[in-house]
Amino acid sequence: MARQPRVSSSDNDSLKENKTAAPSSQTRVKMEKVNKAQAATRNKKRVQDSDGEDADEGDRTQQQQYDKDHDAEGDEDEEEADEEADGEGGSPKGRKRVRINSDGNSRPAETETEVPRVVTQPRDTDGFIPGSIVRIQLRNFVTYDFVEFHPGPYLNMIIGPNGTGKSSIACAICLGLNWSPAILGRAQEIKSFVKMDAQDGHIEIELKGSKGKPNLVIRRYLKSTNNASTFTLNGKPITGADVTSKMAELNVQVGNLCSFLPQDKVSEFAAMSPQQLLRETQRAAGDKNLTQWHDTLITMKERNEAIEKEVERFNQRKQIEDEIATLEIFIPCQRYRELLERYTELKAEQRRLHDIVKKLKEKNKPAHDLLDEYKQKQKKHEHARDARKKQTQDKFGKLSKIWSEQEKMESASEDLEMELEQLAAKEKQRAEDIKSLEVAIQKMKAERDKPFEIQDHSELEQEAVMTSISEATEVYDGLTVEQRTLATRRARANQELDDLKQQVEDMARTRNPVYQRRENAEKRLKSLANVDTQKLDMLAKFNKDTYDAVLWLRANKHQFRMEIIEPAMLSLTVPDKKFQYAVETSLGATQMKIFVAQCREDYDKLNGLINDREALGRKARIAVWFRESSLESQLAPPPMDPQEMTQLGFDKYLIDCVQCPEPMKFFLKMDAQFHRTAVALNGPRINVGNAMAAVGRSGGANFIAGNTVHQVTRSRYGRQALSNQTSEARQPKYFGTATVDQEQKRELEKEIRDCEQDLTVINDEINKLQEPIKEAEEEISNMQAEVEKIKKRKEAIKAAITRRKKLDRDYETNVKKVNQLRNAPSLDIERQNIRQQISNIAKKRVKFVKECTDLARTIVVDQMETTKLGLQYLQICANKAYLERRVAEEDTKCKEAEDKWKAVDKEYLRAKDITKEALDFSRDTLSAAGPELVAKWEERQMAWRAYFEAKAEAESNGAEVPSAEGVDLRSADELEDELQRQQAKLELTNKSNPGVVEQFERRKRDIEILENTLNGRQQNASRVDANIKKTLGKWRPALEQLIASIGEKFSAAFDRIGCAGEIHIREHEEYEKWAIDILVKFRDEEKLQLLTGQRQSGGERSLTTILYLMSLTEEARAPFSLVDEINQGMDQRAERVVHNSLVDVTCKDEAAQYFLITPKLLPHLQYHKRMRILCVNNGEWLPEEKGLGNMMRMIEGYLNKQKGQSSRSN
């Protein structure tokens, strides 16, 4: 149990401020807008908080604390007088009740009574200011079992090691006085502040009461099971709203970072905008009416701007209506003028283009005549050239034919020469051929002389010898008849076999539907029992991207080097249903849908395909995990061995409860610590303390006891105490829902059995037919064998007959060849014939050569003539082509000119009609207009004519063009646009009657009404301006005085540490954007820079924050302030100067109560007798016996010992 020691203090000289710094020129930045409704609803009476709601149910705005303050005297009367003036002038807000001032009318009072500034309530005789903390008692709060201590009325320094509960004191002050946990920047729920393993607790804070009144003892009861809490005040139950009301009366400002700065909110102070800083500073220090005056200025400024806009709108409306009437006259007249100018231009253009077309046609006529002449010449030369060319081609054909005949005769002559040379070889070859044929004839004759025999070795008959072809033919015919008989028998047997098979097929067809029904039932049964299908359905509902990625991965496994393990929702099973809740509780949503890769290549590829290149056909996002397998050896071992785990009552580790691929197990160990999470189904059997000690030996782990999940961690500070955070295990949603419909399963199983019985009956019938089919097939097979044997015998006989016939034919052929060779003519005669043929061919060739020579001479003459005609033809074609191009170009120009003329002529005729219509309409408009508008139009016309006449004269003389100032040169379209703009503006100024623009008479009446109300609006605006000036006259001096005082102390504090700092007010024409700029400089080479949450380092921001808060302390109105670990990040020099300055400021007579929480102190610091040092001596190893571990007694004993040693030495 933690105990609080007594207070020890020491005296030191105070550190005096000896330098001042005037604020520099003010710059401007933006500031946050305030809530306008708050300023509009304030009045001079106190506002009682009667809503009765607890503050712990949501954040409160700190403005509630100030609504009870009196407004500045006279301000509210002026505000309501302004509202009444708005009501008289027709304001949409309506008429309100008029409050009168001391003069008995609705004007603001002429004189104001200055309200003296009150910093805090008077200090009592015991030194405490009303609202400051006298005592704090905590039970079962965060790190404390029980503690009670008494702060001092001035500076209270709370010190102690990290993790002992210093910041818990700040939490207790905040929550105990009914502020929201959001102010602390820690846990958002009240129940989180109850000490672990405790059911309830309380915070008791005793505040100093007003002088002559008892102290306020506020106790807040907390529960660990829910966020409900109750309050008592001096032992009597009250609501949270009552506590908030009391805090407002005492001006306690826990929600203001300038007064109460918790550890987790230090960084937010520097991050505040300059506008926020101004608002918080006004609330924390200076005149208590600063915030109210600021809000009043903002509201009045907005109201005054609204009135000025109304007056401006009234003035604009009459101008708009006059402008609309004028434009309605100007537009048709201007339109006619523009159309007339356009008509005149088109008429001149039409005449000009017509003349151009006429001249171009006359110019092109000679060229067209010459072109026709060239066309005639081209045809004439083309016919002559073609005729000559044909004659030449015919002669070339005749020459080619003669030359071809000559080449043939030359080839024949060469063949005859070769044949003459080969006659000797031919004679020798004939003798050899005769000799070889005679040898062959002798062999064939001997073979023919042998008898005709065929050896038949068939198995059906005995061996027989056939000596002639006729006998063999008779046997062959008999075998053919026998073959046909067998074929007939086999056909009948095949028919019978086909009938039997048809019966089997018919039965088989009746069996197929049964097979199908059985297969469907089995598939449905398999699908029903298939947990994977059900898991896929759940995954599709859980995460569509992951579901689509699984289907894509199953179809594209070949793209990866190793197997990608599907998410745990699919690849992980829990065989024992009793452990399903534990497994699912220990897996997060991301862990349930993560893919596990086994190599870096597959990890990158899957990420790239799905997440980057949209392999799913759309944008998708999946989670992929990969770690090197070598890291598995570096995993922390289980916190308990199996024997110890069993002794403590645990059943097994989570990793032993699941079945999945090894890579998934590796993931569960690395990412979810399944091998270190023990599970006990029987929760009450587990001793939580022993279990915490067991798993805490290795630094902490998780364990599950029944339906409770314990997360044990060990602190990194002090004695490294164990802490246990518990949560309730959730029921299995994904691992426990994959079940089978047993009724449907039984129906499917029955359907399968029925199908099996039907199939058995059909198969028995089929089996009965198999025996006859087998016998028929054997009979057919035997007959086929007989047929094959007969076929072989026939082939053998036929082959023998064919061989004998071929021998006879070959014998007769060879005899004829021998006779021909013997009776062939003599070679000398043949040689003489060949020579005669060669001579005849030579004579024909000489004749052909003479014909070719004569024909070639004729061809040369014809070719020259043809070439001449061709050149003449080409020249004519070139001249004609050139002329055609020139004519085409000129015709194109003529056609373009004619097209332009036709287009302009069409536009000219249309413009003529439109101009006439515009003339009629403009005359009607002018005749219907009033004399004032006609005079305006004539005046515009005269100015317009004078300008253009002067312009034409200046251009003709080469002089400078006159200025168009005062001349309306707008076109009709521009006048139309202006008319639409004016009509739109008129609608905006009179939303109650959108049709007012079209009704001229109604507009005149509206203008008269508006003119009557204009004076009233202007008077109202003047009154608001006066109120703004009056409020500004009170707010601005008070604000400048406050900021000057704070800035002087702030600059002096920075000077003492060798740095520079200034505080400026930044003004703006919008009062809500007034701000405070904190400018700091920490190095000589730097310039002063605005303090932001990013520009300065953490230590620099902390130093600036504490110096600003310290400068604000003397001006503060709150009864106590607190800063938590503000010295973190400071160097020793800055920390020492800040400490000594803080001691000096917070220990002055007029100083309020101050709490400084810090985990460290430098040696040899300055202290003051008014300080109170609170040492937090808290930890799990404090002795339970009363009296042991009392730090105050230890300090007193140490001092007595020192005194004794000092006296003995003397």
Side-chain angles (χ1 to χ4, degrees), residues 567-568 572 587 590-596 624-627 632 635 655 661-674:
L572 186 147
L587 285 175
T590 301
Q591 294 170 327
M592 293 281 283
K593 62 181 182 180
I594 201 166
F595 291 84
V596 177
V624 187
W625 184 90
F626 166 72
R627 297 292 186 276
E632 188 167 8
L635 286 170
I655 198 66
E662 287 302 320
M664 179 58 70
K665 284 190 177 182
F666 180 37
F667 163 73
L668 295 175
K669 292 178 182 179
M670 286 287 294
D671 206 64
Q673 299 293 306
F674 267 38

Side-chain angles (χ1 to χ4, degrees), residues 174-335:
C174 174
L175 300 179
L177 299 181
N178 196 30
W179 261 268
S180 169
I183 293 174
L184 302 170
R186 294 193 170 190
Q188 298 297 315
E189 296 181 325
I190 295 295
K191 64 180 182 181
S192 302
F193 291 89
V194 179
K195 195 175 190 301
M196 193 173 298
D197 297 331
Q199 297 298 318
D200 55 24
H202 73 250
I203 305 168
E204 184 174 288
I205 300 177
E206 182 177 350
L207 300 178
K208 179 64 179 179
S210 300
K211 195 168 184 179
K213 295 183 180 180
N215 291 348
L216 282 72
V217 180
I218 300 172
R219 174 175 287 195
R220 185 173 192 174
Y221 294 93
L222 311 176
K223 295 182 179 180
S224 63
T225 55
N226 54 56
N227 289 320
S229 61
T230 58
F231 290 89
T232 62
L233 176 61
N234 295 334
K236 297 179 180 180
I238 60 171
T239 65
D242 294 334
V243 175
T244 301
S245 177
K246 291 292 183 182
M247 296 304 101
E249 292 178 7
L250 296 172
N251 200 25
V252 174
Q253 299 186 29
V254 172
N256 188 344
L257 292 181
C258 293
S259 299
F260 192 89
L261 191 60
Q263 176 182 355
D264 296 308
K265 291 286 185 174
V266 171
S267 61
E268 290 188 14
F269 182 89
M272 278 197 302
S273 69
Q275 291 80 9
Q276 288 176 310
L277 183 61
L278 174 63
R279 302 288 294 184
E280 299 298 331
T281 301
Q282 288 181 147
R283 290 172 49 205
D287 196 304
K288 65 179 181 179
N289 293 315
L290 279 173
T291 299
Q292 188 273 333
W293 286 335
H294 193 181
D295 292 340
T296 300
L297 283 172
I298 294 172
T299 304
M300 286 185 174
K301 179 70 174 175
E302 292 171 352
R303 291 178 57 201
N304 190 46
E305 290 174 355
I307 294 172
E308 290 176 351
K309 289 179 181 178
E310 284 289 329
V311 173
E312 182 181 358
R313 199 158 48 243
F314 293 149
N315 290 330
Q316 289 176 351
R317 183 176 174 190
K318 187 175 184 304
Q319 297 175 0
I320 292 169
E321 290 181 337
D322 291 342
E323 183 68 15
I324 289 173
T326 303
L327 290 171
E328 287 173 347
I329 298 299
F330 282 14
I331 289 171
C333 296
Q334 179 64 25
R335 183 73 67 189

Side-chain angles (χ1 to χ4, degrees), residues 832-871:
Q832 186 178 357
N833 291 335
I834 292 174
R835 288 190 181 119
Q836 183 63 40
Q837 292 176 14
I838 293 173
S839 176
N840 294 336
I841 290 172
K843 292 177 181 179
K844 290 181 181 180
R845 290 180 65 190
V846 170
K847 183 181 178 181
F848 282 154
V849 169
K850 185 177 181 302
E851 290 178 0
C852 286
T853 302
D854 295 340
L855 194 59
R857 290 192 183 100
T858 308
I859 290 174
V860 170
V861 175
D862 291 343
Q863 188 66 30
M864 291 176 63
E865 187 66 25
T866 302
T867 302
K868 181 179 178 182
L869 290 172
L871 292 173

Side-chain angles (χ1 to χ4, degrees), residues 405-419:
E405 290 295 333
Q406 194 272 342
E407 287 181 344
K408 288 181 180 179
M409 286 188 289
E410 182 181 4
S411 178
S413 177
E414 290 176 354
D415 293 340
L416 290 172
E417 292 285 346
M418 187 176 295
E419 188 176 350

Side-chain angles (χ1 to χ4, degrees), residues 1095-1118:
R1095 181 176 294 162
Q1096 288 79 18
S1097 66
E1100 292 170 347
R1101 291 197 300 270
S1102 297
L1103 177 60
T1104 304
T1105 301
I1106 188 59
L1107 291 180
Y1108 183 83
L1109 296 179
M1110 187 173 66
S1111 303
L1112 189 66
T1113 299
E1114 295 185 39
E1115 303 290 336
R1117 298 194 307 271

